[in-house]
Amino acid sequence: MKIAIDGPGGAGKSTVAKLLAKRLGMTYIDTGAMYRAVALAVARRGIGAGDAEAVIAELDSIHIDISHESDTGEQIVRLGGEDVSAQIRTQAISIGASDVSKIREVRLRLVELQREIARGRDVIMDGRDIGTVVFPDADKKYFLTASPGVRARRRYLELRSKGDFAAYETCLSDLLARDSNDSGRAFAPLVAADDAVFVWTDRMTAREAVDAMYMDITDKGSEPIRSNGAAL
Ligand code: DC
């Protein structure tokens, strides 16, 4: 079984996908972490994330490995064997990831890796193009979203909890820049698949979103999540 969760940054995709995977006994795969790992790799080599030619030239020597903690199911991202799961979570890397994700060759490489990791497993995968490109035949597709103000606030609180005291305004402007970067790129832009179910998380807790999706997946819901963009 393949479940695709797409949507913009700060919509709650990874929180929801992680909880849902645990509940369904599936493997959670965070594809944004892979774009972040490429961004970290090139930054360490002094290459600008927007310098497509230079990034492409490095691709063959960037080795990304994804594994999962056996007890918590937490995803571990390794770059050339080094655990970089924490280093890829900074604001600078968020922006770099969005930049490298515009490069076609980077996307082709990572989509291949994503399909390989998912082969023979039940997975919940989150990203921007999972329902449209990676698994167009996914069993279930969700598009999680929320208003920019709510998403920026979540990002602000998440960074704060990690000791990064970025201003709310900076979180909002970075998020809007990433939205336009991710939605405006020519190759595999962020867009909801035609058959995706919309989940608006503005006024939902992660638990509520997970409950609604769980009911939808297991067909236990008397009130299915509506796919016409209506809030739950
Ligand atoms: O989900 P995230 O914020 O960790 O993703 C970081 C960036 O990676 C995001 O701005 C766009 C890019 N990305 C992508 O283009 N396709 C994906 N499937 C996942 C992430």
Side-chain angles (χ1 to χ4, degrees), residues 6-10 13 30-33 35-36 88-89 93-102 107 114 126-130 134 155 178-179 181-182 185 188:
D6 290 302
K13 294 187 303 290
D30 164 11
T31 62
Y35 291 90
R36 288 170 180 271
I88 58 171
R89 296 290 152 199
I93 295 297
S94 295
I95 296 162
S98 184
D99 283 337
V100 297
S101 75
K102 287 198 268 189
R107 302 204 68 83
Q114 289 151 17
D126 86 16
R128 303 292 188 285
D129 60 341
I130 312 305
V134 184
R155 191 62 88 197
R178 276 216 292 153
D179 277 2
N181 229 3
D182 296 346
R185 68 180 173 228

Side-chain angles (χ1 to χ4, degrees), residues 8-17 144 154 201 206:
K13 294 187 303 290
S14 63
T15 309
V16 163
L144 246 70
R154 286 184 189 147
T201 64

Side-chain angles (χ1 to χ4, degrees), residues 147-168:
S147 59
V150 170
R151 293 190 284 119
R153 188 174 152 71
R154 286 184 189 147
R155 191 62 88 197
Y156 167 78
L157 293 173
E158 182 193 339
L159 288 173
R160 250 183 114 80
S161 73
K162 291 178 188 156
D164 182 343
F165 294 89
Y168 167 80

